[in-house]
Amino acid sequence: MSFAFRTPRRAVMTAAGAAAAVVLLAGCSAGGTGSEENAGEPVSGGNLVYATGDAEPTCLDPHVGGNYPQALAASQYLEPLVSKNVDGEFIPWLASEWQESEDGLSWTFTLREGVQFTDGTPLNAEAVKANIEHVQDPETASSTGYLALQKIESAEVVDDLTLKLNLKAPDSALLESFSMPWVALQSPKALERSQEENCAAPVGTGPFMVEDWVKQDSITMVRNENYNSPPADAAHGGPAYLESITWKFIPESATRYAALQAGEVHVIDNAQPDTIAAAENNDVIKHLDAPRPGASNRLELNTSKAPFNDPLVREAFVRAVNVNDGVSSLFFGTAERSYSPLSSVEPLGYSDESLFGHDPAEANRLLDEAGWTERDAEGYRVKDGERLSLEFPVSTNQSIPAEQSLFEQLQATAKEAGFEIKLNLLDLSSWYGALAENDYNLVSAPYTKVGPDVLRILFHSDSTVPAPSGYFANLSQVKLDELDEILTKGSETSDPAERAALYEKAQQIVLEGYYILPLYDQQNHFLYRSEVSGLRALPTVSTPTFYDAWLNS
Amino acid sequence: MPGSTPEQPVPGRPTVTDGDRGPARILGDSVRLPTTVRWLLAKVLGAVFVLWAVATLIFFGIRLIPGDPAEAILGGPGSQASPEALEQVRRDYGLDQPLLAQYFTQLGRLLQGDLGESYSLRMPVAELLGNQLPGTLLLSALALLVAWLLALGLACWSTLNGKAAAVVASGLEIAAAAVPHFWLASILILLFSNTLGWLPPVSTNSADGLVLPVLALALPLAGFLGQVMRESMLNAMTSPFALSARARGEGETGVLFRHALRHAALPGIALSGWAFGSLLSGAVVVESIFARPGLGRTLLNAVTLRDIPLVTGVALVSALAYVLVMAASDVAERAADPRLRAA
């Protein structure tokens, strides 16, 4: 069976090969992310212990809510319709083929044959339809998945393995959305259980199954012996090598690293810059760097009020702070400076370094020009009796210590130009509260999503309208008709060249307007012991996958 | 937020116990009841009052902090809840009701013994507490025991070994009492796990997994208890009854163990109730650092997530444990000190 296909308009992707050749693809695609020094043959069996520093999910079904901790765990037991290879091209996973209609208003997905959920329910068009409806159902309380599937109006079962989706408007991000763990597929029979039951043990098609979840301690996942649905870039076929995974929650980073060193755990995530640097000198411990897609880590400058409603002050701020020195000294070479609104793993990311050079003299000139000519006794600039002061709420749940130190360094360098930065360390809920009250001039907020459509979420004026909770994603509060138009067009066009041009223009506008100060990629560092082989991160949202991994004793 | 460092202890009897004696006296004026019954009744009334106050303070306290519990229920970093989802959650959890209505609903449920369901873990709070309490109690009880042994040991040693030993002991106690839990825990991991490789950094209920967290909790407490115990022991050693014992030909060691030890233990017993409370707050830090499931870690997560039922549940259970330990320390104190029984 071949899955070469074309849309009437253009080729959505190049054929990736025959479904049976899944295994053959392994050799060329595993390079780059996996462990290179895989000596010897894969060994079957063993229990791998993974220690996460991310929060413990409140629900193991990533349709409910939808955050990164859920994506990390769910990548082991749930599988999405499509994936991406290391070159950023879409490749088959649970869907073997897909086709967009001429007008972009409908998509047809053909599912892989002979796949079963671990409760025995077959994977068919009905099942996918039930999943889409589950994500869209307000009772599910989905957030990330809900936003991703917003343009889907209805799903039609054409035949057992063919599903047609009707859209409200063309959606160029649809495949990107369907590659994310937040819309991965679950057994429709299992979804009919109560939400409590489904949260405790979702049923997917993945190489592992959730067996037990001891809250605040660990999740036990066991091998799915009937597994037959690896993504097209997997390194082998059939069931996973590992017999089980113990997914431990170890919030404290020093403890996590000590446990890795002691051999109590095999893999840790959220490795801190200092421990990564320490691990470089350690033969037993290896490093896997897998930056998250979507937005880069950036400071957003709130343009809805003084002083950042003045473009001169925004540029002055960007010129005044010395980001590069901070990044290189505090991150021990584990983070690279970004000059783009998008993550470096986004193929359509656009950078412009020239806009962000550290130039204190220029910063001073710009501030003079903007009328902030006086200085007070403490050296801060003053205009009409008001100090040039910036509120900067920082969420301690989302910001690692190195980043908080970076913010302190920015604070120090901004002071020389006469900016006062008030850093407020807050817990997550208080941080949301500060944003809802528009009580900020600077803010750093992560956003992970596959594809450049994240720009629409972050910079379209629609996103300045707060949800009833008070939260909104457009934290720089950019409202430009031109940008809105480009972002809407970009989300609707499937023509690669046109899409690339639109998103480049959108990023130019964002960068040149000094609405953000890009810092570095969203960090995703894994450290693992040398006895682990075949570990890689999925090229979609950079979650680790243990399907191809094994333990050398 | 629970404090990450315990409040500075105030030497002497904790005021809560003194307060508890109040109702007994008031009652005693009008109703003639046996002393023990009055004492017991006062304890129970005091406990009920403490539990009500805790439930009320937690309920309003957590609502004063900005942020929307509905958003917290749904989300976390990077996820944007849809308006529909938020509305659904508000309805499901009764967050759309006026604040006072929510308060009375919760109080009514608590009176029926229903602790509700956790927002963040989607499980009955009672079940969660049932799972987490034993681990924390084990940790706290062992820490209390170890602290006692260390404090008494140091007090005995310094008493028997003269001035220089007293100076050393006092220095050690002050240093230990001043060390914050999180720092001590990190140092212990660095030393015993990273460098020496003797003990695991991740705690379990097995013996080797308990050593480091118990030490992290016990050392600061031992320092504090030790200061009080040694003082009292030294006083006892120079008091007239010690003098007369010596006159009867008793050796220093005999005087210490037969007479002074009981005096040293008294303030220790009195402080143990308070100490237990401080261990529960120390557990917040220690359980997180050693990745140990328990009440402290549950509380930390629950506060971060604005999980009102869970925070209330943990606080109530902690308050109850505190009250019970206070009562137990009162009983022990009465047993050790005959003068109190007459009161």
Side-chain angles (χ1 to χ4, degrees), chain A residues 49-50 56 60 212-221 245-249, chain B residues 293 297:
Chain A
V49 186
Y50 178 92
E56 179 169 2
L60 299 184
D212 192 25
W213 177 17
V214 181
K215 302 269 163 92
Q216 291 182 44
D217 183 45
S218 61
I219 308 170
T220 306
M221 304 175 192
I245 300 173
T246 303
W247 194 272
K248 275 198 81 70
F249 301 103
Chain B
R297 201 168 150 202

Side-chain angles (χ1 to χ4, degrees), chain B residues 250-272:
Chain B
E250 188 106 68
E252 280 303 294
T253 317
V255 175
L256 180 84
F257 284 105
R258 236 158 270 147
H259 302 280
L261 204 55
R262 182 183 279 231
H263 283 261
L266 279 178
I269 294 172
L271 280 173
S272 288

Side-chain angles (χ1 to χ4, degrees), chain B residues 68-91:
Chain B
D68 181 348
E71 176 89 10
I73 291 169
L74 280 173
S79 59
Q80 261 185 300
S82 66
E84 291 88 344
L86 281 163
E87 222 141 276
Q88 181 69 35
V89 162
R90 288 209 185 89
R91 258 198 315 275

